[in-house]
Amino acid sequence: MSYDNNPETQINLSDNTPILVAVAWPYVNGDIHVGHIAGCFLSADIFARYNRLKGRPVLMVSGSDCHGTPITVAADKEKVTPQEIVDKYHPKVLNLIKTLEIEYELYTKTTTENHYKITQDLFVALAKNGYISKKVTPQYYSEKDNKFLPDRYVEGTCPFCGFEDSRSDQCDKCSSVIEEGKLIKPRSKNTGSPVEFKDTEHYFLDLDKFQLELENFVENKSYWREWVLAETKGWLKRGLYERSITRDLDWGIPIPTDRLPDELKLDGAENKRFYVWFDAVIGYLSASVEWSDMHKDNDGNLPKPWLDWKHYWYNEDARHYYFMGKDNLFFHTISWPAMLIGSDKNKQLPFYPAINNFLNLEGDKFSKSRGVVLYPEYVVENYGIDSLRYYLAKVMPENQDADWIWKDFVAANNNELVANFGNFVFRVLSFYKAHPELDPTKHILFAVDNTVQQEIKETFYEVGRLIEECKLAEALQRIMKLSSFGNKYFNDNEPWKVIKTSEMAASEAIYNCLTIIDNLRILLHPILPSAMNKLTRMLDYTDLIVPEVEINKWEYKPWNHEQKIEEFIEPLFKKFDEKEVLEKEKK
RNA sequence: CGCGGGGUAGAGCAGUGGCAGCUCGUCAGGCUCAUAACCUGAAGGUCGUUGGUUCGAAUCCAACCCCCGCAACCA
C-alpha cells in the first residue's frame, strides 16, 4: 500500500525525493530566545526528522550569520572585535542546538573560506549575466572617523518634535518617519562627532529584471500558506526595484572587483563589503557544498550519491523547504529566488517557504531591552526538553502570532502529554509488568485487531501528509488522537477485569496496546526525540531509532510477540504544579 | 488611502455557499490498570457591527468598528 501521493496539493513527495531543509541563519549576537525556536528551529527539525524516518535523503543546513550591523553593534557594545563576538557566540548556538536536540546535517557559519568563495562566485555570475549595476547614493559620512556610517549608527534632532536623541530614520519620541536628509544636526552615535551626507558608489542587484520570472515562479504555488502567497504577490504587484547589496563597512565579505568586467569596476571597492542579507541566503548553498566536502574520501569521492550537494541542488526531483520567521519573507520568496535564477538557471528554486509568525510572551513582544525574554535553556533546565518541544509544537505560530502562556504550558504538559499519552504508556506497561502471565508467547499468537491496525495506518498517512504541508500543530493533534484511541481501547477491553476469567483475552488486549505504543514511538519521534528514545529503551529495543536512507520506518508495524520489555518502568513525563510554576514565573 | 493578518463556546483555534466543529477547561455519571490519570454524557455560540447578493451566508459583496504584525534591535 502506498500513501505517498497527496492529491489535494501539489506536494507529491516520493520515497526517495531528496529534501533540502534550509533553516534561517540566526545572527550570532547571543540572544536566541524561545521565539526563535518556535519561529524556525523546531519546525525545521520536526520536518527533517520525519523525512529521515521516511527514508528520504535529507540535507538540513544552517549556520551562524556572522556579518551585518547587529554583530558590529554588539562588538562596539562589548568593546571587542566582531570576530571576537563570533568566536564567543557561535559555540553558544552550537550548544543550544545540542540541548534542544535540533539535528542538522551541518550547522556552520558565514565566516568560512568556502562561504566567502561561493558568495563571490555567485556575485560574479550575477554580474556577468547582467543583473548587477552600480549607482551613486548619498550616505552619512563621518569626517572624524573617516568612514561612512550605517543609518543605525547615526542620531540627531527630530525635525518634527525637536527631540534631540532621535534615530536617523524614525523618532523614538514622536514616532514620525524621518526622510533621508531631514534629520537636524546628525551625529555619530558612537563618538558624537557631526556627520554629513557624502556620495558613495554601490553595487545593486537589479531585481526589476526578474519581475516576470518571479511572477511565473509563484504562479503555481497555490499550496503555499495563503498569507505567504498574498504577501509575496503584494511585493510583485508593487513592482520590484534595484536593491543595494554592498555597504561601506570593514566587516563582511570583500567584493571581488578584479573579476568583474571593466565597466563594473568601482573606486574604493576595497573599503566595501557585501550587505549581510546578500551573503546570508547564499549560506544555504555554501553550507550544502561544505557538508558534501566533509564526506569525501581520500580520493575525493563520495561513498553515496545522496552525500553530493548536487543531488539536492541540480536535481529537479529534489524539494527545497525553507524555514524562517515572517520578517525574512521578502529575502526568501523574492531576493533569493532571483539570485538563483540570475546566477545559474539549473539550480532548484524554493519549493515551500514554511514561514512562521511570531511567538509573543504572555501577550508581550519579545524584547531584550524591556526584559520580555525567555531562554530555551532555562525552560529545558527547569521543565525538560520534552515539555518545551511539545508545547512549542502545539502553539507554533503557523498562521498567526501566538503566545507563550505559562498557564497553558502547564495545562498542555499535564493534560495532554502526561494524562493522555504518558499515562497510556505507563498504565499499559505497568499492568503488563505486574502480570507476567500475559506474555503473548504463552497464548495463541494473535494478530492485531483490524480497527487498531486501521487507526494506526490512518494516523501514519494523515500525519505524514500534514507534516509535508508543514501543518505541524495539526499533525501533533492527530497523533494525540491515536493516543486517545489507545486509552479508549484499554478502557473498553478492561484487561484488569477480564484477566480474572480469561488470561488470553487480557493478553490480546495488552498485545494490541503494545502495538499502539510501539507505533506512537515512531510517530512522536520527530517531535519528542528524547522521550521516544527513553521509551525505546523501556521497550527493550537494542537500538535507538536511527533513520536510514532508502529504508522507510514511517509505517505501521505490529508488536513482535517475542519482545520482552525492560525490567524498570517509569513514567515518561512529570506533572507540574500549576500554582508553583505561576508563582515562580511571577504571572 | 503604505503592506499584511485577525475578530467563531470560558481559553486557544479549525471551518471559504448546504444541519456550527476540534483541543483544553466546566458540570454530571462510570471505572479503578494508571501520575486524582482514563471512559461516557451534558451544558455552553444571535460566527465583530450594519446593509446587500442568494432558495440558503461564519463563508460571497459593500461600508464601518476593534485588535495585531511588518516598514525600528528582533524568527
Side-chain angles (χ1 to χ4, degrees):
Chain A
M1 203 180 311
S2 169
Y3 286 128
D4 286 314
N5 284 342
N6 188 348
E8 283 143 54
T9 68
Q10 297 164 46
I11 303 178
N12 296 317
L13 307 181
S14 77
D15 276 352
N16 50 16
T17 300
I19 310 277
L20 178 79
V21 182
V23 192
W25 294 48
Y27 279 127
V28 66
N29 53 2
D31 57 347
I32 291 189
H33 50 67
V34 292
H36 295 89
I37 309 304
C40 58
F41 286 69
L42 183 59
S43 32
D45 188 54
I46 293 171
F47 178 80
R49 283 176 182 276
Y50 157 77
N51 279 293
R52 292 188 195 110
L53 284 172
K54 281 292 276 188
R56 294 174 180 143
V58 171
L59 173 51
M60 171 157 146
V61 289
S62 187
S64 294
D65 187 347
C66 304
H67 301 131
T69 38
I71 309 301
T72 55
V73 166
D76 292 343
K77 208 186 232 166
E78 299 189 23
K79 296 198 169 36
V80 295
T81 63
Q83 184 62 52
E84 283 172 293
I85 291 288
V86 170
D87 293 341
K88 178 176 169 190
Y89 288 112
H90 177 66
K92 280 193 174 177
V93 181
L94 286 173
N95 232 343
L96 176 66
I97 288 166
K98 213 172 152 194
T99 304
L100 296 177
E101 303 187 29
I102 312 275
E103 209 170 270
Y104 290 94
E105 263 64 33
L106 177 66
Y107 184 90
T108 178
K109 50 186 174 179
T110 53
T111 46
T112 64
E113 200 180 310
N114 170 67
H115 179 67
Y116 273 48
K117 179 180 176 297
I118 288 173
T119 299
Q120 292 173 338
D121 288 352
L122 198 140
F123 169 74
V124 171
L126 282 169
K128 288 196 171 145
N129 292 336
Y131 295 112
I132 300 291
S133 55
K134 46 180 192 172
K135 209 178 274 188
V136 176
T137 56
Q139 296 274 313
Y140 287 114
Y141 181 81
S142 166
E143 203 74 52
K144 190 175 167 199
D145 302 329
N146 191 26
K147 65 177 181 186
F148 286 94
L149 296 176
D151 287 352
R152 104 174 54 160
Y153 278 95
V154 175
E155 55 187 17
T157 303
C158 171
F160 300 96
C161 71
F163 181 57
E164 289 184 5
D165 297 317
S166 171
R167 289 198 316 264
S168 65
D169 49 359
Q170 188 174 12
C171 177
D172 276 326
K173 195 168 184 193
C174 69
S175 295
S176 303
V177 175
I178 301 167
E179 271 178 68
E180 208 170 80
K182 295 276 168 66
L183 188 73
I184 301 166
K185 285 193 217 158
R187 62 179 190 274
S188 160
K189 206 167 180 172
N190 287 342
T191 62
S193 55
V195 298
E196 61 195 34
F197 270 118
K198 189 173 163 181
D199 280 346
T200 175
E201 200 169 17
H202 279 289
Y203 288 111
F204 283 69
L205 175 63
D206 298 337
L207 281 176
D208 49 313
K209 290 181 181 160
F210 297 97
Q211 180 81 31
L212 271 178
E213 269 165 300
L214 288 175
E215 279 169 10
N216 288 335
F217 167 63
V218 299
E219 191 54 43
N220 57 354
K221 297 295 188 288
S222 54
Y223 56 91
W224 285 11
R225 284 176 195 163
E226 222 172 299
W227 67 272
V228 170
L229 197 56
E231 184 110 2
T232 303
K233 284 185 173 167
W235 283 102
L236 290 171
K237 204 173 156 192
R238 271 168 269 147
L240 301 175
Y241 52 89
E242 316 81 3
R243 285 178 85 108
S244 78
I245 56 169
T246 53
R247 291 284 121 127
D248 291 291
L249 274 176
D250 51 12
W251 178 244
I253 301 179
I255 323 296
T257 40
D258 52 316
R259 293 166 59 193
L260 293 180
D262 282 345
E263 67 273 17
L264 277 178
K265 299 247 195 277
L266 176 158
D267 287 340
E270 64 280 5
N271 297 323
K272 300 179 195 298
R273 296 293 182 270
F274 283 114
Y275 189 17
V276 62
W277 69 257
F278 183 80
D279 93 74
V281 287
I282 298 174
Y284 302 122
L285 177 61
S286 66
S288 301
V289 175
E290 183 184 344
W291 171 77
S292 213
D293 286 346
M294 284 160 48
H295 289 89
K296 281 185 178 158
D297 60 23
N298 292 335
D299 304 324
N301 298 318
L302 289 162
K304 297 285 183 189
W306 58 78
L307 294 174
D308 189 343
W309 65 275
K310 297 189 193 80
H311 192 65
Y312 304 85
W313 286 92
Y314 287 110
N315 180 346
E316 57 181 35
D317 294 330
R319 292 288 177 265
H320 291 194
Y321 279 72
Y322 287 78
F323 293 81
M324 78 212 78
K326 63 177 163 185
D327 56 340
N328 264 311
L329 184 141
F330 178 85
F331 298 117
H332 290 79
T333 65
I334 303 281
S335 317
W336 179 228
M339 287 161 69
L340 284 168
I341 294 168
S343 60
D344 177 357
K345 279 208 183 326
N346 297 317
K347 284 206 186 77
Q348 278 296 94
L349 294 176
F351 176 71
Y352 191 92
I355 306 182
N356 277 352
N357 286 278
F358 289 153
L359 183 78
N360 298 317
L361 185 54
E362 301 271 1
D364 268 330
K365 221 179 157 204
F366 276 97
S367 163
K368 212 177 168 185
S369 52
R370 287 188 299 122
V372 183
V373 71
L374 178 63
Y375 294 108
E377 293 95 333
Y378 171 83
V379 181
V380 171
E381 195 177 313
N382 287 274
Y383 304 98
I385 174 77
D386 297 310
S387 305
L388 173 69
R389 287 183 63 121
Y390 183 88
Y391 182 60
L392 285 181
K394 181 184 157 74
V395 298
M396 208 153 258
E398 285 165 1
N399 290 304
Q400 57 236 297
D401 284 357
D403 275 282
W404 175 289
I405 311 272
W406 280 105
K407 196 169 187 283
D408 292 352
F409 170 74
V410 173
N413 181 75
N414 291 357
N415 305 331
E416 297 176 40
L417 194 54
V418 173
N420 184 341
F421 173 67
N423 180 55
F424 173 56
V425 172
F426 190 60
R427 71 196 294 208
V428 171
L429 295 189
S430 59
F431 185 81
Y432 181 38
K433 211 71 246 181
H435 300 279
E437 68 272 25
L438 297 182
D439 185 335
T441 55
K442 292 182 180 158
H443 304 272
I444 300 169
L445 294 189
F446 7 73
V448 179
D449 279 3
N450 267 334
T451 48
V452 172
Q453 211 176 117
Q454 198 55 35
E455 186 68 26
I456 296 173
K457 283 180 180 168
E458 267 172 33
T459 308
F460 271 110
Y461 171 60
E462 286 171 22
V463 172
R465 222 184 59 186
L466 288 167
I467 294 179
E468 285 166 17
E469 292 172 31
C470 293
K471 295 178 180 167
L472 302 182
E474 213 178 322
L476 176 58
Q477 201 169 310
R478 184 63 189 83
I479 297 171
M480 293 311 279
K481 214 176 123 194
L482 179 60
S483 177
S484 288
F485 174 89
N487 270 318
K488 182 166 158 48
Y489 183 89
F490 193 93
N491 243 66
D492 292 349
N493 284 280
E494 305 180 302
W496 64 89
K497 195 184 279 178
V498 169
I499 192 171
K500 292 167 190 158
T501 53
S502 163
E503 266 181 20
M504 197 171 96
S507 175
E508 187 170 3
I510 292 301
Y511 173 74
N512 274 276
C513 287
L514 285 171
T515 298
I516 297 172
I517 291 174
D518 200 26
N519 285 283
L520 277 168
R521 184 177 66 100
I522 302 296
L523 285 159
L524 276 172
H525 189 260
I527 299 167
L528 307 173
S530 173
M532 291 311 100
N533 283 337
K534 192 170 163 190
L535 177 59
T536 299
R537 270 180 238 114
M538 269 200 274
L539 295 179
D540 210 27
Y541 278 98
T542 43
D543 295 314
L544 296 180
I545 300 168
V546 182
E548 292 165 73
V549 176
E550 289 178 345
I551 297 178
N552 184 6
K553 297 187 174 175
W554 186 265
E555 58 185 6
Y556 163 76
K557 181 171 75 90
W559 178 252
N560 173 11
H561 295 79
E562 308 287 331
Q563 190 160 335
K564 311 293 178 220
I565 64 172
E566 184 66 35
E567 249 346 282
F568 179 66
I569 298 300
E570 62 169 350
L572 286 170
F573 314 103
K574 275 204 298 271
K575 268 188 95 153
F576 305 138
D577 184 300
E578 184 185 294
K579 239 183 195 166
E580 239 171 63
V581 173
L582 295 190
E583 184 70 23
K584 183 169 172 183
E585 312 302 341
K586 62 169 173 45
K587 175 60 203 165

